[in-house]
Amino acid sequence: MSTVAAEAPLDVGKLWRAARLPILIVVVALALVALLAAVSASSDNPLDPRSTAPSGTHALAVLLDGRGVSVAVPDTSSGLIGAARSGETVVLADPGAVSLSLLHALASTTATVLLVGPENRELGAFGVPATLNNVTSGVTPGPGCALPAATVSGSIEFIGDLYATRSGATGCYRAAGDAALVVDRRATGGRTVVLGGGSLLSNADLGKSGNAALALGLLSGSSRLQWLPPGDLGGALASSDRRGLFRLLPSGLDWGLVQLAVAVIVLALWRARRLGRPVVEPLPVVVRAAETVEGNARLLHAANARATAAAALRTATRRRVAAAVRLDPDVDPAALVSVVAEHTGQPAPSVHALLYGADPRDDPALVGLAGELEALEAAVRQQPGVPTGTTSDPRPGGQQ
């Protein structure tokens, strides 16, 4: 009988060669994340009244302050709603990222709410009779409406969305029949201003054409203005209604990913398929039985497979003991225990615990079990009439 082999010494070099590629991948991924974070932190804050970058709107905030309109960035949704209910003007620079519950709350106030580049979801929340219909770039249309802010500013330089308006809404700066600026009066008495793009409000483009005049005309209706910039929405977002990353993916990409996943699964099944029944082939070299036993022992020890090792020891012992007392290898456990107990004089419960008992809890218990099984087999062979020679092992390639 053999015992569990000692653990092999740790090969640090082999471990490093196996782990260096995953470590390198993790390091590169972390470096990319850090780089992206640094770039994002240093990038412009578009349509932010605190930003002096080309895409910011600090210049407009200064002009509004000169007209007695203070500009503030709200911290929470409750503060924003409270300001709107008190009659302050509200600018939503990225209304698509705001929850529907907050949009409906703002729509129920009497405040003037400016929506920059809204989609049909936001238009529906405010009840604006208009639909997103087109996109334009670099046009300088005339007002085409009687809105005072538009007639004063004249033509503007506009890049952004265009809206098809219906009865009840005022559409200005039309291109191909669709309006870049839509103004609607809500049933609550508040006013909704839809601006298809925010570039004309930016520091870089505010001085072009009549952009500044239009912005001041639209936002000078109250002494205080609440400006909600993109990427700094604070508590204004409701987590249950956030628009996640998948909303930003192109349409149809989700089906493409599903097809790719199916293709990967089919490829895995094809590569893993069995071409037929396993074929027993002779080993290219002769392996000594002792080396096979030691190799199996090392594998079991490395995997902490004490239950498997104990089962192998007990199975081999039962087979040899049954052969020694001239019983069939598949003899009933009760019969085998009874005969072994009679031959050795040991109590039947003890014999049953050795041959069919519980798995060992740790390595010392496994070693102890191997010794007890060996002693039990020796006790059986010492009885008169029991062969003491070795018994052929029916497994391929070895003897015990």
Side-chain angles (χ1 to χ4, degrees):
M1 298 287 292
S2 62
T3 60
V4 177
E7 186 176 359
L10 184 64
D11 190 344
V12 179
K14 184 177 181 180
L15 288 177
W16 165 246
R17 288 190 296 272
R20 60 187 176 185
L21 181 58
I23 292 176
L24 178 61
I25 293 175
V26 171
V27 170
V28 171
L30 292 177
L32 289 175
V33 170
L35 179 61
L36 290 175
V39 170
S40 299
S42 61
S43 62
D44 294 344
N45 298 322
L47 301 184
D48 192 329
R50 300 162 297 186
S51 173
T52 58
S55 63
T57 56
H58 183 68
L60 177 57
V62 172
L63 292 178
L64 288 170
D65 185 67
R67 289 200 170 194
V69 180
S70 61
V71 179
V73 176
D75 295 327
T76 63
S77 58
S78 59
L80 179 62
I81 295 172
R85 287 173 178 169
S86 65
E88 298 183 18
T89 301
V90 174
V91 176
L92 299 182
D94 186 13
V98 179
S99 66
L100 274 176
S101 58
L102 179 56
L103 294 175
H104 287 303
L106 292 174
S108 65
T109 67
T110 59
T112 294
V113 181
L114 173 63
L115 306 176
V116 179
E119 297 182 3
N120 293 330
R121 164 183 172 269
E122 295 79 58
L123 296 174
F126 280 85
V128 179
T131 305
L132 178 61
N133 192 49
N134 209 338
V135 178
T136 186
S137 175
V139 300
T140 56
C145 67
L147 186 69
T151 56
V152 170
S153 62
S155 62
I156 61 172
E157 186 164 327
F158 176 78
I159 300 174
D161 297 329
L162 296 174
Y163 301 89
T165 59
R166 298 188 296 275
S167 177
T170 301
C172 305
Y173 300 103
R174 294 185 179 273
D178 297 325
L181 175 65
V182 180
V183 179
D184 177 57
R185 183 68 63 175
R186 300 193 298 274
T188 60
R191 189 175 64 149
T192 305
V193 179
V194 176
L195 185 61
S199 61
L200 63 86
L201 306 177
S202 66
N203 298 328
D205 295 338
L206 189 63
K208 298 179 180 179
S209 301
N211 293 358
L214 177 63
L216 292 174
L218 294 175
L219 300 176
S220 298
S222 65
S223 61
R224 187 170 174 83
L225 185 148
Q226 298 290 328
W227 192 300
L228 197 61
D232 189 19
L233 299 171
L237 281 176
S239 59
S240 62
D241 197 29
R242 290 187 178 179
R243 304 177 73 189
L245 176 62
F246 289 102
R247 292 292 299 273
L248 303 177
L249 298 178
S251 60
L253 181 61
D254 50 353
W255 288 109
L257 294 177
V258 171
Q259 295 177 24
L260 180 61
V262 172
V264 171
I265 294 174
V266 171
L267 177 63
L269 294 176
W270 171 65
R271 295 295 296 174
R273 75 192 192 285
R274 298 184 66 170
L275 301 178
R277 296 171 59 90
V279 178
V280 179
E281 297 181 354
L283 293 174
V285 295
V286 177
V287 181
R288 296 175 55 193
E291 294 179 0
T292 302
V293 171
E294 183 177 358
N296 289 336
R298 288 182 183 276
L299 291 174
L300 294 174
H301 185 265
N304 289 324
R306 286 182 288 271
T308 303
L313 292 173
R314 282 171 166 148
T315 299
T317 301
R318 291 195 299 265
R319 185 173 56 250
R320 289 192 294 268
V321 167
V325 296
R326 295 181 175 83
L327 292 176
D328 188 80
D330 298 327
V331 64
D332 181 70
L336 179 62
V337 169
S338 176
V339 172
V340 171
E342 181 181 353
H343 275 74
T344 61
Q346 298 184 20
S350 299
V351 176
H352 185 276
L354 276 178
L355 296 178
Y356 300 99
D359 298 329
R361 296 185 301 273
D362 48 31
D363 289 347
L366 178 61
V367 174
L369 174 64
E372 292 176 2
L373 290 173
E374 188 173 8
L376 178 66
E377 183 179 351
V380 171
R381 294 186 182 281
Q382 287 174 0
Q383 298 305 313
V386 176
T388 58
T390 59
T391 304
S392 298
D393 191 338
R395 292 175 298 176
Q399 285 186 335
Q400 295 290 343

